[in-house]
Amino acid sequence: MHLYAKVIISFFFLLLLTRIMGKKQMSQLTHFNYITGITLGSLSASVITEKHIPLYQGLLAVGIWSGLTLLLGFISTKSRSVKRMIDGAPMILIRHGRVDQKALASTKITIDDMILLLRQKDVFSVSEVDLAILESNGSISIYKKQEQTPAAKYIPTQIVADGQALKKNLNELGLSESWLLHELAKTGGRNTRIKDIFYAEVLGDGSLHVERYTGR
């Protein structure tokens, strides 16, 4: 097949795949997405440039790779343990103005790298930070120390996602799953179940922001 024809066919095939795979490749570039994108590009280039590879075999390989990516993405939406395995988990780097040196070492980030990330958030002193979290896509989220009084009871924290209680986050706040059920009952009745909740977070004053699944 002529090279130009292979380029045109591969272009529209990749365009179709990117539409199917959605926007996560660009907007939430985790390590897994990054590797997937590079490999997908490499496979596509091989389809076009390698004359000994039939077009249908090359497109099939690209399709299988994309299908596996979609499959893992779907499984990760149903299992938080699989999601953590693929994308990693957020890490707390600074707590109450003190750097967690073990967390810093485990993420392979130097203190200079962290200071750079802080400056990009307009923070120029570690002492200004109450909580700094390294997200799974490599960005950093900052919660500054509050100067106003009275101080907030909690740092706003996600505690339910996709119908599952985030036990690690609850433990960080010194809260239990029974406390969560009790608070959810206040907002939706005694029979409210965690699996009925799409998203919930603790606010600074200890109240909950709750969003239930729609269409159930």
Side-chain angles (χ1 to χ4, degrees), residues 24 71-80 82-83 86:
K24 186 174 183 181
L71 177 62
L72 281 177
F74 174 76
I75 294 174
S76 69
T77 63
K78 302 299 180 181
S79 170
R80 297 199 67 82
V82 173
K83 182 175 177 60
I86 295 174

Side-chain angles (χ1 to χ4, degrees), residues 8 23 28 68 70 79 88 97 114-115 117 141 159 164 177 179 187 191 210-211:
I8 292 171
K23 298 179 180 179
Q28 299 176 350
L68 289 173
L70 285 171
S79 170
M114 190 191 72
I115 295 300
L117 291 172
S141 300
I159 55 173
Q164 298 181 54
E177 197 166 325
W179 174 90
T187 65
N191 295 325
V210 178
E211 296 187 23

